[in-house]
Amino acid sequence: MSARILDGKSIAAEIRQEVRLEVEAMAAQTGAVPCLATILVGNDPASATYVQNKARACKEVGITSVRIELPADLSEMSLLHEINRLNSDPVVHAILVQLPLPPHINERRILEAILPEKDVDGFHPSNLGGLLVGSPLFVASTPLGILELLDRSNIVIEGKHAVIVGWSVVVGKPTAFLLLQHHATVTICHIKTRDLAFHTRQADILVVAAGKPGLVTGSMVKEGAVVIDVGVNRLSDGRVVGDVEFPEVAEKASLITPVPGGVGPMTIAMLLKNTVDACRRKWGERCGR
Ligand code: NAP
């Protein structure tokens, strides 16, 4: 079997177009323009590129973005002040702190300082807990993007065995809960999992988010599986690859995401969607809706 490509790039373009129309309609009806504030601490080139891409994507769909760039030696207290300022700014609907933060700053403390209703990354404990009980204000963009990709590709989740490699707060855990909510039977694998291949071979839907190039090979995948490769790894020759050995896994899978061009563009598209939701919710509150 040779897999069909799950084209995240074109599905994300479709979503961005929908978001653009929604932003226009909202502005016409209410005068509200969604605004995302991004905070970048330090000058890590990869983080700077991510922030730049997010700002560009906002501009394309009519979302205002405010970029706050702070020095790497900024104190945790100063960063908390900045977040409090954005929390109380009525013009800002959404706040995103680009990770990772410098080691002297406690990441959890920073993420917990963002108001849950502005936490479009979905990393606040109240949103993570909300996911557990099925009613979060926001879900992290990457897991949301994975679910949207499956949905828009007409992949039935209910009753399927989904196996997730990686249990991070950013990808693995929220993806597992979203798949559970859709009545998949979910297995989560991590670094201590014994015989990873045994588990991955059970998967009807395999999500790999480990950050390890070449981790999943053809022999680890069931014939006809749907394979979602979340990994983004830059090799020494400059190539960007996922966690999955693409050519051999594509021989076994029925559907597979490429890297780049799979989950990555979906993540940005869902961030835009979350930002519009934050704005609409704020506007609704003001009007008592
Ligand atoms: P992370 O926080 O480093 O988590 C990686 C997870 O993989 C951990 O839970 C780890 O388990 C598990 N793992 C690592 N090696 C493993 C192995 N050999 N067998 C089984 N499990 C293993 O990374 P992350 O933030 O979740 O990101 C994962 C990858 O996705 C990275 O490449 C990242 O760049 C990419 N990513 C892409 C997007 C996108 O939009 N495309 C968004 C976010 C992340 P333990 O915790 O038990 O060690």
Side-chain angles (χ1 to χ4, degrees):
M1 174 181 286
S2 195
R4 184 158 65 84
I5 301 293
L6 274 174
D7 185 357
K9 207 169 160 186
S10 68
I11 295 176
E14 204 176 283
I15 296 169
R16 288 201 306 274
Q17 171 66 359
E18 289 165 15
V19 171
R20 196 173 64 77
L21 295 176
E22 207 178 332
V23 170
E24 275 174 19
M26 191 157 62
Q29 284 162 12
T30 69
V33 177
C35 173
L36 169 71
T38 58
I39 301 181
L40 175 66
V41 183
N43 44 19
D44 173 62
S47 294
T49 305
Y50 288 138
V51 168
Q52 206 175 14
N53 291 345
K54 286 165 189 169
R56 191 181 307 131
C58 281
K59 191 165 177 220
E60 258 179 43
V61 299
I63 293 175
T64 305
S65 70
V66 180
R67 280 163 71 181
I68 296 159
E69 294 180 9
L70 301 165
D73 61 356
L74 178 88
S75 71
E76 186 176 296
M77 191 51 81
S78 306
L79 184 52
L80 286 170
H81 278 311
E82 195 58 45
I83 288 170
N84 284 337
R85 187 183 67 75
L86 295 170
N87 277 342
S88 50
D89 185 340
V91 172
V92 172
H93 304 104
I95 304 170
L96 179 151
V97 177
Q98 186 63 47
L99 303 178
L101 289 169
H104 67 280
I105 297 179
N106 181 323
E107 225 161 70
R108 260 290 123 215
R109 201 171 294 147
I110 297 303
L111 297 175
E112 286 173 19
I114 299 172
L115 278 180
E117 56 268 36
K118 296 194 180 190
D119 170 42
V120 279
D121 252 347
F123 297 155
H124 191 284
S126 138
N127 281 321
L128 289 166
L131 182 59
L132 209 70
V133 292
S135 59
L137 291 176
F138 295 107
V139 176
S141 318
T142 302
L144 213 50
I146 293 170
L147 268 286
E148 194 73 21
L149 197 55
L150 294 173
D151 184 46
R152 292 194 185 222
S153 308
N154 300 316
I155 295 159
V156 176
I157 298 172
E158 191 177 299
K160 298 281 174 67
H161 188 172
V163 177
I164 301 161
V165 183
W167 65 318
S168 72
V169 168
V170 178
V171 187
K173 279 181 199 155
T175 304
F177 279 104
L178 286 176
L179 288 165
L180 257 180
Q181 263 170 20
H182 286 76
H183 277 103
T185 301
V186 177
T187 300
I188 306 176
C189 302
H190 46 71
I191 199 75
K192 302 283 184 192
T193 297
R194 289 186 199 157
D195 197 352
L196 181 65
F198 167 80
H199 294 284
T200 57
R201 273 197 291 268
Q202 315 297 314
D204 301 309
I205 299 171
L206 176 62
V207 180
V208 190
K212 296 275 160 65
L215 180 65
V216 172
T217 58
S219 64
M220 294 169 72
V221 175
K222 180 163 86 174
E223 196 76 39
V226 174
V227 178
I228 308 290
D229 189 354
V230 187
V232 179
N233 308 290
R234 187 170 288 278
L235 303 182
S236 52
D237 62 7
R239 277 184 306 136
V240 173
V241 299
D243 292 347
V244 166
E245 281 293 351
F246 187 87
E248 53 187 84
V249 172
E251 281 302 307
K252 301 277 288 289
S254 58
L255 287 156
I256 187 167
T257 56
V259 178
V263 175
M266 294 298 294
T267 296
I268 295 198
M270 301 319 284
L271 171 68
L272 301 175
K273 237 173 171 285
N274 275 353
T275 302
V276 172
D277 285 351
C279 177
R280 195 188 311 100
R281 194 174 293 131
K282 190 78 220 159
W283 181 80
E285 269 171 25
R286 259 191 233 122
C287 303
R289 295 180 187 207

